[in-house]
Amino acid sequence: MANAQVASSNRLTTKLSTEELADRLRNRPQTARAAYCRAGHYLGMVPTKLPSGRLLWDAGEVEALLAGEAVQADTAAIDEHFARKAANPAKLPEHIARKVAAKCLIAGAVAK
């Protein structure tokens, strides 16, 4: 049982909260949140979204970014982000609805 707790805590150390990310990149937490909401990524980094709504960012990607390496955004995760937003029209902001409609038109699908 103790081994499971150690493994779990090791996994958590590889993730950063949005506040920790902002501290490392020397900006405000809302900068990352807004970019993720609008584009589905922040500087190529796609966070893990917890059921509570909190975002966890990969510490390795943050360190690579700070080292000057480019981080490639996972397009599948970005598409999943916009699909999750589109699934609940009541929560879908107007600017996201337009973006989803535009993506559907670009992909050749008929937007509803």
Side-chain angles (χ1 to χ4, degrees):
M1 186 77 166
N3 289 340
Q5 291 175 347
V6 171
S8 175
S9 66
N10 285 342
R11 246 191 335 252
L12 291 177
T13 60
T14 63
K15 299 289 185 179
L16 300 173
S17 69
T18 304
E19 289 74 18
E20 293 168 329
L21 171 77
D23 285 343
R24 296 287 296 137
L25 298 178
R26 294 191 170 106
N27 60 21
R28 295 188 334 217
Q30 191 57 27
T31 303
R33 288 188 197 107
Y36 176 61
C37 179
R38 291 181 188 125
H41 67 92
Y42 175 56
L43 301 174
M45 298 180 293
V46 179
T48 301
K49 188 167 186 176
L50 299 178
S52 65
R54 297 214 176 236
L55 303 175
L56 294 179
W57 304 84
D58 186 86
E61 289 181 344
V62 174
E63 293 306 317
L65 190 65
L66 290 171
E69 300 172 21
V71 177
Q72 294 297 321
D74 180 7
T75 56
I78 293 171
D79 291 341
E80 187 264 325
H81 167 76
F82 286 113
R84 187 175 58 245
K85 283 183 167 277
N88 188 350
K91 290 186 172 181
L92 192 64
E94 180 69 28
H95 69 283
I96 298 296
R98 288 193 306 267
K99 184 178 281 191
V100 169
K103 283 188 172 213
C104 288
L105 289 174
I106 291 170
V110 176
K112 292 182 181 181

